[in-house]
PDB file of all heavy atoms in Angstrom:
ATOM      1  N   SER Y1479     116.037  94.558 196.465  1.00 97.00           N
ATOM      2  CA  SER Y1479     114.684  95.271 196.737  1.00 97.00           C
ATOM      3  C   SER Y1479     113.808  95.156 195.462  1.00 97.00           C
ATOM      4  O   SER Y1479     113.060  96.015 195.251  1.00 97.00           O
ATOM      5  CB  SER Y1479     114.874  96.728 197.147  1.00 97.00           C
ATOM      6  OG  SER Y1479     115.599  96.880 198.237  1.00 97.00           O
ATOM      7  N   LEU Y1480     113.806  93.975 194.894  1.00 98.00           N
ATOM      8  CA  LEU Y1480     112.897  93.751 193.794  1.00 98.00           C
ATOM      9  C   LEU Y1480     111.551  93.586 194.289  1.00 98.00           C
ATOM     10  O   LEU Y1480     111.340  92.889 195.405  1.00 98.00           O
ATOM     11  CB  LEU Y1480     113.316  92.447 193.008  1.00 98.00           C
ATOM     12  CG  LEU Y1480     114.452  92.668 192.052  1.00 98.00           C
ATOM     13  CD1 LEU Y1480     114.603  91.350 191.276  1.00 98.00           C
ATOM     14  CD2 LEU Y1480     114.239  93.811 191.052  1.00 98.00           C
ATOM     15  N   PRO Y1481     110.470  93.957 193.681  1.00 98.00           N
ATOM     16  CA  PRO Y1481     109.048  93.797 194.020  1.00 98.00           C
ATOM     17  C   PRO Y1481     108.923  92.318 194.032  1.00 98.00           C
ATOM     18  O   PRO Y1481     109.267  91.515 193.274  1.00 98.00           O
ATOM     19  CB  PRO Y1481     108.160  94.527 193.094  1.00 98.00           C
ATOM     20  CG  PRO Y1481     109.204  95.321 192.228  1.00 98.00           C
ATOM     21  CD  PRO Y1481     110.482  94.822 192.483  1.00 98.00           C
ATOM     22  N   PRO Y1482     107.938  91.882 194.888  1.00 98.00           N
ATOM     23  CA  PRO Y1482     107.581  90.350 194.859  1.00 98.00           C
ATOM     24  C   PRO Y1482     107.022  89.893 193.496  1.00 98.00           C
ATOM     25  O   PRO Y1482     107.397  88.679 193.216  1.00 98.00           O
ATOM     26  CB  PRO Y1482     106.395  90.375 195.907  1.00 98.00           C
ATOM     27  CG  PRO Y1482     106.673  91.499 196.901  1.00 98.00           C
ATOM     28  CD  PRO Y1482     107.231  92.524 195.996  1.00 98.00           C
ATOM     29  N   ALA Y1483     106.343  90.639 192.724  1.00 98.00           N
ATOM     30  CA  ALA Y1483     105.860  90.161 191.423  1.00 98.00           C
ATOM     31  C   ALA Y1483     107.079  89.868 190.553  1.00 98.00           C
ATOM     32  O   ALA Y1483     107.118  88.840 189.777  1.00 98.00           O
ATOM     33  CB  ALA Y1483     105.062  91.174 190.798  1.00 98.00           C
ATOM     34  N   GLU Y1484     108.209  90.550 190.606  1.00 98.00           N
ATOM     35  CA  GLU Y1484     109.367  90.302 189.834  1.00 98.00           C
ATOM     36  C   GLU Y1484     110.053  89.126 190.369  1.00 98.00           C
ATOM     37  O   GLU Y1484     110.567  88.257 189.455  1.00 98.00           O
ATOM     38  CB  GLU Y1484     110.415  91.475 189.786  1.00 98.00           C
ATOM     39  CG  GLU Y1484     109.868  92.618 188.935  1.00 98.00           C
ATOM     40  CD  GLU Y1484     110.821  93.772 188.850  1.00 98.00           C
ATOM     41  OE1 GLU Y1484     112.059  93.479 188.691  1.00 98.00           O
ATOM     42  OE2 GLU Y1484     110.512  94.925 188.788  1.00 98.00           O
ATOM     43  N   VAL Y1485     110.077  88.953 191.696  1.00 98.00           N
ATOM     44  CA  VAL Y1485     110.692  87.686 192.247  1.00 98.00           C
ATOM     45  C   VAL Y1485     109.938  86.508 191.926  1.00 98.00           C
ATOM     46  O   VAL Y1485     110.440  85.456 191.494  1.00 98.00           O
ATOM     47  CB  VAL Y1485     110.868  87.875 193.768  1.00 98.00           C
ATOM     48  CG1 VAL Y1485     111.560  86.651 194.372  1.00 98.00           C
ATOM     49  CG2 VAL Y1485     111.814  89.034 194.095  1.00 98.00           C
ATOM     50  N   ALA Y1486     108.598  86.545 192.054  1.00 98.00           N
ATOM     51  CA  ALA Y1486     107.803  85.517 191.621  1.00 98.00           C
ATOM     52  C   ALA Y1486     107.911  85.085 190.127  1.00 98.00           C
ATOM     53  O   ALA Y1486     107.883  83.856 189.810  1.00 98.00           O
ATOM     54  CB  ALA Y1486     106.270  85.815 191.929  1.00 98.00           C
ATOM     55  N   ALA Y1487     108.051  86.112 189.273  1.00 98.00           N
ATOM     56  CA  ALA Y1487     108.398  85.777 187.822  1.00 98.00           C
ATOM     57  C   ALA Y1487     109.673  85.048 187.568  1.00 98.00           C
ATOM     58  O   ALA Y1487     109.701  84.218 186.730  1.00 98.00           O
ATOM     59  CB  ALA Y1487     108.262  87.111 187.126  1.00 98.00           C
ATOM     60  N   LYS Y1488     110.629  85.477 188.299  1.00 98.00           N
ATOM     61  CA  LYS Y1488     111.977  84.884 188.262  1.00 98.00           C
ATOM     62  C   LYS Y1488     112.087  83.607 188.976  1.00 98.00           C
ATOM     63  O   LYS Y1488     112.890  82.550 188.552  1.00 98.00           O
ATOM     64  CB  LYS Y1488     112.999  85.760 188.794  1.00 98.00           C
ATOM     65  CG  LYS Y1488     113.305  87.043 187.918  1.00 98.00           C
ATOM     66  CD  LYS Y1488     114.309  87.969 188.546  1.00 98.00           C
ATOM     67  CE  LYS Y1488     114.521  89.284 187.902  1.00 98.00           C
ATOM     68  NZ  LYS Y1488     115.144  89.128 186.497  1.00 98.00           N
ATOM     69  N   HIS Y1489     111.344  83.375 190.033  1.00 98.00           N
ATOM     70  CA  HIS Y1489     111.374  82.096 190.923  1.00 98.00           C
ATOM     71  C   HIS Y1489     110.059  81.658 191.251  1.00 98.00           C
ATOM     72  O   HIS Y1489     109.516  81.855 192.390  1.00 98.00           O
ATOM     73  CB  HIS Y1489     112.195  82.392 192.192  1.00 98.00           C
ATOM     74  CG  HIS Y1489     113.615  82.732 191.874  1.00 98.00           C
ATOM     75  ND1 HIS Y1489     114.624  81.802 191.740  1.00 98.00           N
ATOM     76  CD2 HIS Y1489     114.162  83.972 191.798  1.00 98.00           C
ATOM     77  CE1 HIS Y1489     115.760  82.348 191.415  1.00 98.00           C
ATOM     78  NE2 HIS Y1489     115.561  83.649 191.537  1.00 98.00           N
ATOM     79  N   PRO Y1490     109.176  81.124 190.286  1.00 98.00           N
ATOM     80  CA  PRO Y1490     107.791  80.813 190.390  1.00 98.00           C
ATOM     81  C   PRO Y1490     107.542  79.892 191.574  1.00 98.00           C
ATOM     82  O   PRO Y1490     106.448  79.617 192.010  1.00 98.00           O
ATOM     83  CB  PRO Y1490     107.248  80.409 189.096  1.00 98.00           C
ATOM     84  CG  PRO Y1490     108.530  80.178 188.222  1.00 98.00           C
ATOM     85  CD  PRO Y1490     109.659  80.925 188.866  1.00 98.00           C
ATOM     86  N   THR Y1491     108.535  79.121 191.985  1.00 97.00           N
ATOM     87  CA  THR Y1491     108.318  78.122 193.066  1.00 97.00           C
ATOM     88  C   THR Y1491     108.642  78.699 194.320  1.00 97.00           C
ATOM     89  O   THR Y1491     108.490  77.996 195.450  1.00 97.00           O
ATOM     90  CB  THR Y1491     109.164  76.851 192.873  1.00 97.00           C
ATOM     91  OG1 THR Y1491     110.538  77.258 192.995  1.00 97.00           O
ATOM     92  CG2 THR Y1491     108.883  76.209 191.523  1.00 97.00           C
ATOM     93  N   PHE Y1492     108.919  79.925 194.411  1.00 98.00           N
ATOM     94  CA  PHE Y1492     109.277  80.629 195.741  1.00 98.00           C
ATOM     95  C   PHE Y1492     107.972  81.108 196.389  1.00 98.00           C
ATOM     96  O   PHE Y1492     107.603  82.206 196.074  1.00 98.00           O
ATOM     97  CB  PHE Y1492     110.352  81.733 195.516  1.00 98.00           C
ATOM     98  CG  PHE Y1492     110.788  82.451 196.671  1.00 98.00           C
ATOM     99  CD1 PHE Y1492     111.570  81.673 197.678  1.00 98.00           C
ATOM    100  CD2 PHE Y1492     110.748  83.687 196.810  1.00 98.00           C
ATOM    101  CE1 PHE Y1492     111.985  82.332 198.716  1.00 98.00           C
ATOM    102  CE2 PHE Y1492     111.211  84.394 198.006  1.00 98.00           C
ATOM    103  CZ  PHE Y1492     111.991  83.762 198.905  1.00 98.00           C
ATOM    104  N   SER Y1493     107.415  80.518 197.314  1.00 98.00           N
ATOM    105  CA  SER Y1493     106.053  80.729 197.862  1.00 98.00           C
ATOM    106  C   SER Y1493     106.146  82.053 198.701  1.00 98.00           C
ATOM    107  O   SER Y1493     105.136  82.708 198.727  1.00 98.00           O
ATOM    108  CB  SER Y1493     105.674  79.553 198.729  1.00 98.00           C
ATOM    109  OG  SER Y1493     105.240  78.434 197.960  1.00 98.00           O
ATOM    110  N   LEU Y1494     107.266  82.442 199.207  1.00 98.00           N
ATOM    111  CA  LEU Y1494     107.209  83.606 199.941  1.00 98.00           C
ATOM    112  C   LEU Y1494     106.838  84.788 199.082  1.00 98.00           C
ATOM    113  O   LEU Y1494     106.055  85.807 199.522  1.00 98.00           O
ATOM    114  CB  LEU Y1494     108.565  83.946 200.574  1.00 98.00           C
ATOM    115  CG  LEU Y1494     108.643  85.254 201.403  1.00 98.00           C
ATOM    116  CD1 LEU Y1494     107.799  85.352 202.582  1.00 98.00           C
ATOM    117  CD2 LEU Y1494     110.136  85.496 201.920  1.00 98.00           C
ATOM    118  N   ALA Y1495     107.274  84.990 197.875  1.00 98.00           N
ATOM    119  CA  ALA Y1495     106.913  85.926 196.973  1.00 98.00           C
ATOM    120  C   ALA Y1495     105.425  86.070 196.665  1.00 98.00           C
ATOM    121  O   ALA Y1495     104.659  87.036 196.619  1.00 98.00           O
ATOM    122  CB  ALA Y1495     107.675  85.912 195.484  1.00 98.00           C
ATOM    123  N   TRP Y1496     104.760  84.847 196.519  1.00 98.00           N
ATOM    124  CA  TRP Y1496     103.384  84.767 196.277  1.00 98.00           C
ATOM    125  C   TRP Y1496     102.637  85.170 197.590  1.00 98.00           C
ATOM    126  O   TRP Y1496     101.559  85.952 197.510  1.00 98.00           O
ATOM    127  CB  TRP Y1496     102.901  83.352 195.965  1.00 98.00           C
ATOM    128  CG  TRP Y1496     103.504  82.836 194.638  1.00 98.00           C
ATOM    129  CD1 TRP Y1496     104.600  82.057 194.424  1.00 98.00           C
ATOM    130  CD2 TRP Y1496     103.070  83.457 193.342  1.00 98.00           C
ATOM    131  NE1 TRP Y1496     104.837  81.848 193.076  1.00 98.00           N
ATOM    132  CE2 TRP Y1496     103.891  82.723 192.368  1.00 98.00           C
ATOM    133  CE3 TRP Y1496     102.117  84.146 192.875  1.00 98.00           C
ATOM    134  CZ2 TRP Y1496     103.713  83.032 191.065  1.00 98.00           C
ATOM    135  CZ3 TRP Y1496     101.926  84.480 191.504  1.00 98.00           C
ATOM    136  CH2 TRP Y1496     102.769  83.883 190.571  1.00 98.00           C
ATOM    137  N   ALA Y1497     103.150  84.802 198.802  1.00 98.00           N
ATOM    138  CA  ALA Y1497     102.595  85.203 200.098  1.00 98.00           C
ATOM    139  C   ALA Y1497     102.465  86.794 200.262  1.00 98.00           C
ATOM    140  O   ALA Y1497     101.551  87.333 200.590  1.00 98.00           O
ATOM    141  CB  ALA Y1497     103.164  84.457 201.137  1.00 98.00           C
ATOM    142  N   MET Y1498     103.646  87.357 199.742  1.00 98.00           N
ATOM    143  CA  MET Y1498     103.702  88.790 199.818  1.00 98.00           C
ATOM    144  C   MET Y1498     102.753  89.519 198.908  1.00 98.00           C
ATOM    145  O   MET Y1498     102.173  90.457 199.327  1.00 98.00           O
ATOM    146  CB  MET Y1498     105.230  89.221 199.456  1.00 98.00           C
ATOM    147  CG  MET Y1498     106.158  88.799 200.685  1.00 98.00           C
ATOM    148  SD  MET Y1498     107.836  89.045 200.215  1.00 98.00           S
ATOM    149  CE  MET Y1498     107.961  90.761 200.466  1.00 98.00           C
ATOM    150  N   LEU Y1499     102.644  88.832 197.750  1.00 98.00           N
ATOM    151  CA  LEU Y1499     101.727  89.533 196.736  1.00 98.00           C
ATOM    152  C   LEU Y1499     100.252  89.282 197.271  1.00 98.00           C
ATOM    153  O   LEU Y1499      99.434  90.201 197.199  1.00 98.00           O
ATOM    154  CB  LEU Y1499     101.728  88.700 195.378  1.00 98.00           C
ATOM    155  CG  LEU Y1499     103.023  89.023 194.528  1.00 98.00           C
ATOM    156  CD1 LEU Y1499     103.215  88.110 193.502  1.00 98.00           C
ATOM    157  CD2 LEU Y1499     102.989  90.470 194.106  1.00 98.00           C
ATOM    158  N   ALA Y1500      99.948  88.143 197.870  1.00 98.00           N
ATOM    159  CA  ALA Y1500      98.545  87.944 198.468  1.00 98.00           C
ATOM    160  C   ALA Y1500      98.299  88.888 199.528  1.00 98.00           C
ATOM    161  O   ALA Y1500      97.251  89.502 199.669  1.00 98.00           O
ATOM    162  CB  ALA Y1500      98.519  86.501 199.011  1.00 98.00           C
ATOM    163  N   ASP Y1501      99.346  89.160 200.446  1.00 98.00           N
ATOM    164  CA  ASP Y1501      99.107  90.058 201.611  1.00 98.00           C
ATOM    165  C   ASP Y1501      98.755  91.490 201.006  1.00 98.00           C
ATOM    166  O   ASP Y1501      97.994  92.255 201.571  1.00 98.00           O
ATOM    167  CB  ASP Y1501     100.286  90.040 202.465  1.00 98.00           C
ATOM    168  CG  ASP Y1501     100.458  88.728 203.256  1.00 98.00           C
ATOM    169  OD1 ASP Y1501      99.489  88.006 203.297  1.00 98.00           O
ATOM    170  OD2 ASP Y1501     101.535  88.525 203.833  1.00 98.00           O
ATOM    171  N   ASP Y1502      99.705  91.939 200.012  1.00 98.00           N
ATOM    172  CA  ASP Y1502      99.533  93.263 199.537  1.00 98.00           C
ATOM    173  C   ASP Y1502      98.216  93.383 198.885  1.00 98.00           C
ATOM    174  O   ASP Y1502      97.529  94.542 199.128  1.00 98.00           O
ATOM    175  CB  ASP Y1502     100.685  93.609 198.510  1.00 98.00           C
ATOM    176  CG  ASP Y1502     102.032  93.692 199.126  1.00 98.00           C
ATOM    177  OD1 ASP Y1502     102.247  93.793 200.445  1.00 98.00           O
ATOM    178  OD2 ASP Y1502     102.995  93.601 198.341  1.00 98.00           O
ATOM    179  N   ALA Y1503      97.765  92.466 198.091  1.00 98.00           N
ATOM    180  CA  ALA Y1503      96.435  92.480 197.370  1.00 98.00           C
ATOM    181  C   ALA Y1503      95.291  92.739 198.504  1.00 98.00           C
ATOM    182  O   ALA Y1503      94.399  93.457 198.334  1.00 98.00           O
ATOM    183  CB  ALA Y1503      96.257  91.336 196.539  1.00 98.00           C
ATOM    184  N   PHE Y1504      95.346  91.824 199.440  1.00 98.00           N
ATOM    185  CA  PHE Y1504      94.424  91.688 200.600  1.00 98.00           C
ATOM    186  C   PHE Y1504      94.224  93.125 201.155  1.00 98.00           C
ATOM    187  O   PHE Y1504      93.209  93.736 201.401  1.00 98.00           O
ATOM    188  CB  PHE Y1504      94.623  90.589 201.593  1.00 98.00           C
ATOM    189  CG  PHE Y1504      93.525  90.303 202.415  1.00 98.00           C
ATOM    190  CD1 PHE Y1504      92.428  89.417 201.984  1.00 98.00           C
ATOM    191  CD2 PHE Y1504      93.351  90.962 203.726  1.00 98.00           C
ATOM    192  CE1 PHE Y1504      91.365  89.154 202.765  1.00 98.00           C
ATOM    193  CE2 PHE Y1504      92.226  90.614 204.484  1.00 98.00           C
ATOM    194  CZ  PHE Y1504      91.291  89.893 204.125  1.00 98.00           C
ATOM    195  N   GLU Y1505      95.442  93.521 201.717  1.00 98.00           N
ATOM    196  CA  GLU Y1505      95.462  94.927 202.303  1.00 98.00           C
ATOM    197  C   GLU Y1505      94.915  96.036 201.494  1.00 98.00           C
ATOM    198  O   GLU Y1505      94.345  97.050 201.961  1.00 98.00           O
ATOM    199  CB  GLU Y1505      96.835  95.225 202.726  1.00 98.00           C
ATOM    200  CG  GLU Y1505      97.292  94.415 203.865  1.00 98.00           C
ATOM    201  CD  GLU Y1505      98.755  94.494 204.268  1.00 98.00           C
ATOM    202  OE1 GLU Y1505      99.457  95.481 203.711  1.00 98.00           O
ATOM    203  OE2 GLU Y1505      99.339  93.545 204.881  1.00 98.00           O
ATOM    204  N   ALA Y1506      94.901  95.888 200.197  1.00 98.00           N
ATOM    205  CA  ALA Y1506      94.471  96.951 199.156  1.00 98.00           C
ATOM    206  C   ALA Y1506      93.000  96.708 198.844  1.00 98.00           C
ATOM    207  O   ALA Y1506      92.482  97.376 197.976  1.00 98.00           O
ATOM    208  CB  ALA Y1506      95.322  97.005 197.934  1.00 98.00           C
ATOM    209  N   GLY Y1507      92.430  95.560 199.541  1.00 98.00           N
ATOM    210  CA  GLY Y1507      90.878  95.225 199.215  1.00 98.00           C
ATOM    211  C   GLY Y1507      90.690  94.598 197.851  1.00 98.00           C
ATOM    212  O   GLY Y1507      89.565  94.296 197.567  1.00 98.00           O
ATOM    213  N   ARG Y1508      91.758  93.974 197.288  1.00 98.00           N
ATOM    214  CA  ARG Y1508      91.659  93.143 196.076  1.00 98.00           C
ATOM    215  C   ARG Y1508      91.592  91.675 196.538  1.00 98.00           C
ATOM    216  O   ARG Y1508      92.535  90.896 196.383  1.00 98.00           O
ATOM    217  CB  ARG Y1508      92.836  93.447 195.182  1.00 98.00           C
ATOM    218  CG  ARG Y1508      92.820  94.929 194.721  1.00 98.00           C
ATOM    219  CD  ARG Y1508      93.902  95.179 193.611  1.00 98.00           C
ATOM    220  NE  ARG Y1508      95.172  94.523 193.911  1.00 98.00           N
ATOM    221  CZ  ARG Y1508      96.116  95.161 194.434  1.00 98.00           C
ATOM    222  NH1 ARG Y1508      96.067  96.328 195.132  1.00 98.00           N
ATOM    223  NH2 ARG Y1508      97.360  94.429 194.563  1.00 98.00           N
TER     224      ARG Y1508
END
Side-chain angles (χ1 to χ4, degrees):
S1479 300
L1480 285 184
E1484 288 186 39
V1485 177
K1488 291 177 184 294
H1489 298 277
T1491 63
F1492 186 61
S1493 290
L1494 179 59
W1496 295 106
M1498 295 169 76
L1499 289 165
D1501 290 346
D1502 290 347
F1504 193 85
E1505 289 171 15
R1508 299 185 320 270

